Amino acid sequence: MAVTQLVGAKVHRREDPRLITGHGHFIDDFTRTGAAYATFVRSPLAHARIKSIDVTDAAKAPGVVGVYTARDFKGQLAGTHPAAPAFVAEKKYVPERFPIAEKEVTYQGEIVAVVLAESRGQAADAANLIQVEYDELPAVMDVEKAMQSGSPKAHEGAADNICWDLTYTGPEVSDAAFKEADVVVKERILQNRVAPVPMEPRGVLAEYEGFDKKLTIWMSSQNPHFIRLFVSGSMGLKESQVRVISPDVGGGFGSKISPYPEDYLVPALSRIAERPVKWIETRTESIQNATHGRGQYYDVEVAAKKDGTLLGMRMTQFLDVGAYVGTFSAFQACACLMAGGAYKWKGISARTVGVLTNRVPTDPYRGAGRPEATHLVERMVDLVALELKMDPVEIRRKNFIQPQEFPFTQNFGLVVDSGDYDKALDRALELVGYEELRKKQAELRKQGRYLGIGISTWIELCGFGPSAATAPATGGIALVESAQVRVTPTGAVLVYTGTHSHGQGHETTFPQIVADQLGVPYDSIELRHGDTAEGTSFGYGTYGSRSLAVGGVAISRATGKVIDKGKKLAAHMLEAAEEDIVFEHGSFHVKGSPDKAKAFGEVAFASYGMNLPQGMEQGLEAVAYFDPPNLVWPFGTHIAVVEIDAETGHAQLQKYVAVDDCGNIINPMIVDGQIHGGAVQGIAQALYEEVVYDEETGQLKTGTMIDYMLPSIGEIPPLILDHTVTPSPTNELGVKGIGEAGTIAASAAVINAICDALSPLGIKHVDMPASPDKLWHMMKEAGK
Amino acid sequence: MKHKVSTTVNGRRHEHEVEPRLLLVHYLRDNLGLTGTHIGCDTSQCGACTIHVDGKAVKSCTMFAVQAEGKSLTTIEGLAKDGELHPIQQAFWDEHGLQCGYCTPGFIMASAYLLSQNPNPTEDEIRRGLEGNLCRCTGYVNIVKAVQSAAKTMSTAPAKKATVAAGGN
Ligand code: FES
Ligand code: FES
């Protein structure tokens, strides 16, 4: 990219003036004249047969427009919930899922009926009058037991609970490595089920206009074009008849990617009731129904030599799929493909098993599969170091893929595009004061105090992705990205992208790129997104840290096409050959004579006029789709310092250092913000968060913010950040993703610190969340 | 049965007949169209709905509209004056104290109250003062910075501080 002014600068966010003054546009801020409100009646049981639903009283309640059950949607909606192949091409069993249950409910919170009323209050009142009779069935909760042949089934009549069982690489792949081993360490590592909890719950407002046969849906979504695709298909409409508008989105973290039952039911209700219908999720509905993340355990073995050389790994992922298969559930299996982390291995054997239970489905949650992989490999490397009495820094250095080895083809054939892992590690060690800390730790140990230092040298694959890899994974649609750049006659620039920000600041960063490339004032550029009626015919949404590395590059390419056309026109205007036109700092000039020039605005204006070169059409706009040649591979080192109070078991996070490398940086302020938020989500998974269901009945015990512990401002220490910059060779901007990095890195750093602190007690491994109560018990047990 | 409620919101008088069970936050959003005050939970945990009632920070989901009878309320929409951002708003902008922005109105209102009570809080006091608000995006790092920077600006512009203490009217 050319010498720039805005790329790399801390540009204040454009979205902020409206958000800090209370003028944002979130889904609950929208309504339509004549809208009716929907309240869903949900199963209070985890698994049951529906015997009967009596709506008589509800239907007569004040303000009620109608009460609807599965039968009413049969002619309205077709098909089953989409379950993408993702990283498991063929699944053994995908239960049919209609957005509303008819005969059987399979998780607490599944929809059984819906009330439509004139006001929210009336809808809620009437919903309480609906009588549903259930025959309770055994709830399948334990993943390990669910795999046994005699287990009850999460769905009645199913052969078993196995959704998938895929061996990527068999034991033979790591046999040689294990034969050579001096030491083998084994561990079972849990990934606690967590809830994404964006501060804004979901919501849908739909208006079906019967005479025009047009449907408009306003909703809080990371992925409006995919929603249009799915909902139009289910409702028997053309995509051209459906418009999805996702306005300001109050956080998503993966939970607003896939379609949900309400995304189909609310539009269908609008068509049935012939009026706009609005539904806003309550927080309890959100924790109960929005897809959860993680919910896995891993059985892992690692083989190494005495000198710390890592040789081989054998791992199996057991994933709690939940009651239905989330649209991108199998994406989480990428944990297997990333299990090798930043290191070189002779062989890795990997298998993933997806198991159905009577819980809400799991689906991608910030990082999806990559935090699990990092947690697993970083834990195992520490266990090997402990076994060999090696410093965790030393073992990492010994096994890192080296800078000169990139592009590096790892064990599963993925090509790691670039990296310099030592550099980030060095910087993090320096920032945290590693040597000093080790000395302090030794001192404190003498006093019976438990200080621990945990290192996570993480890597990530993101920027989904190359068509060859992603089209088969979605069932046909390549996750490339589209962009359109339109220049108006006065030289104002409208940029349309198929990604959609939910806090990432795209309205700011994407115009930064375009401003530099076109050399026009930043204020003349406007980014539009989140509305399927605008811009290109398809967009791919924001998730998997893809928006900049795929969407940003598409924008840059569309901008390039605009410049190309501008050059042709400028050549004509300047009576020069096109090859002689140079575009610099917002002006086209003839090579060698900078005063023979036309400003970008002049050329834009001329493009709408009559004096065009032969064969050129009017206008100045372009569309580009970017199909990246590879994924991008950010990396870094996070270090956590934790002290554990022997009296209470409380793990106090004292210091947290994050050195990350996402290639070239467009806006450092936003990059840091992403790391802050991401790291805190990982820290919170390690220390606080867990969705708890009763293991017998399947009742959700953490359905409110009282019981589900989100970190508050009191829990988190200041984070110390720095960056190294290793530009990605995969795209011309040299950028990688940064949205998930913090989360990918953090849990391993924190748990490694806790295990390091407790190692004098002989404690080798602690599972998440490392609550005071858990640690206190472990310490007491170990002290005996 | 409906009840009459009259309030002053952001300096303007309002009178409505409302159901006794109507929450203040719904009154502000649905009856007055002041949608800057957000709802993030059902259990009064998140603080997204924080406003000022007679100068004090209150989670508006913990009050019924009828309880606001005769009171003077300030919402996020009432904080900027004459097209000029309040120093706390400016500080959230400058320090990147928001990402999705959903929690932000609540945080700004809670911070405004905090600084009206304690114009020079330590970091610890800021963290304790804002414990009733949750943010899922920022990890709170830049929220703390924003409040620190606002405190600095406001201590050199005492007139603005007084406005906040008086409930923004
Ligand atoms: S809406 Fe969450 S505290 Fe009021
Ligand atoms: S900025 Fe998104 S919840 Fe705080």
Side-chain angles (χ1 to χ4, degrees), chain A residues 10 12-13 16 20 22 28-29 125 195-197 199 253 283-284 365 669 673 676-677 689 706 711 713 716, chain B residues 21 29 35-36 38 40-42 45-46 76 89 93-94 96 98-100 102 127 134 136-140 142:
Chain A
K10 176 189 168 179
H12 282 46
R13 296 204 323 171
D16 290 0
I20 54 180
D28 196 13
D29 305 340
D125 287 346
V197 201
M199 289 311 295
F253 314 112
R283 177 55 62 194
T284 293
Y365 166 60
M669 175 187 83
H676 291 151
E689 293 183 34
I706 304 177
I713 195 165
I716 304 298
Chain B
R21 67 170 173 178
R29 293 181 52 85
T35 53
H38 295 152
C41 71
D42 337 314
Q45 246 68 43
C46 75
I76 187 71
Q89 291 172 316
W93 191 10
D94 290 345
H96 190 33
L98 61 149
Q99 290 180 26
C100 78
Y102 196 75
R127 288 183 184 269
L134 293 171
R136 190 57 153 167
C137 297
T138 62
Y140 305 104
N142 290 344

Side-chain angles (χ1 to χ4, degrees), chain B residues 73-95:
Chain B
L73 316 181
T74 307
T75 69
I76 187 71
E77 290 92 343
L79 216 54
K81 288 272 176 296
D82 309 320
E84 234 192 88
L85 293 178
H86 185 282
I88 298 177
Q89 291 172 316
Q90 185 69 46
F92 269 72
W93 191 10
D94 290 345
E95 299 295 338

Side-chain angles (χ1 to χ4, degrees), chain A residues 372-500:
Chain A
E372 294 94 315
T374 304
H375 195 82
L376 167 158
V377 68
E378 292 303 293
R379 260 315 16 250
M380 293 311 289
V381 166
D382 265 24
L383 286 172
V384 174
L386 186 71
E387 184 72 27
L388 297 173
K389 300 195 172 49
M390 256 178 108
D391 188 288
V393 173
E394 198 191 328
I395 191 166
R396 284 173 167 79
R397 287 204 199 283
K398 195 172 181 65
N399 293 284
F400 276 157
I401 305 164
Q402 294 301 311
Q404 69 279 5
E405 294 174 293
F406 295 101
F408 179 85
T409 305
Q410 47 95 290
N411 298 68
F412 296 91
L414 297 164
V415 180
V416 187
D417 69 353
S418 57
D420 190 344
Y421 304 151
D422 270 303
K423 200 162 144 193
L425 175 60
D426 288 340
R427 181 70 184 125
L429 292 171
E430 183 185 328
L431 281 172
V432 84
Y434 189 68
E435 296 302 323
E436 284 309 302
L437 274 171
R438 284 288 175 211
K439 279 183 209 145
K440 184 173 162 196
Q441 180 183 46
E443 280 306 306
L444 292 178
R445 277 185 180 166
K446 283 185 212 147
Q447 302 166 27
R449 286 170 63 184
Y450 300 95
L451 184 82
I453 307 151
I455 298 172
S456 168
T457 45
W458 66 277
I459 74 164
E460 174 188 0
L461 92 167
C462 65
F464 296 90
S467 59
T470 54
T474 67
I477 291 189
L479 297 179
V480 301
E481 197 49 85
S482 60
Q484 182 171 26
V485 173
R486 293 179 175 173
V487 185
T488 69
T490 58
V493 183
L494 287 156
V495 180
Y496 300 83
T497 173
T499 63
H500 185 35

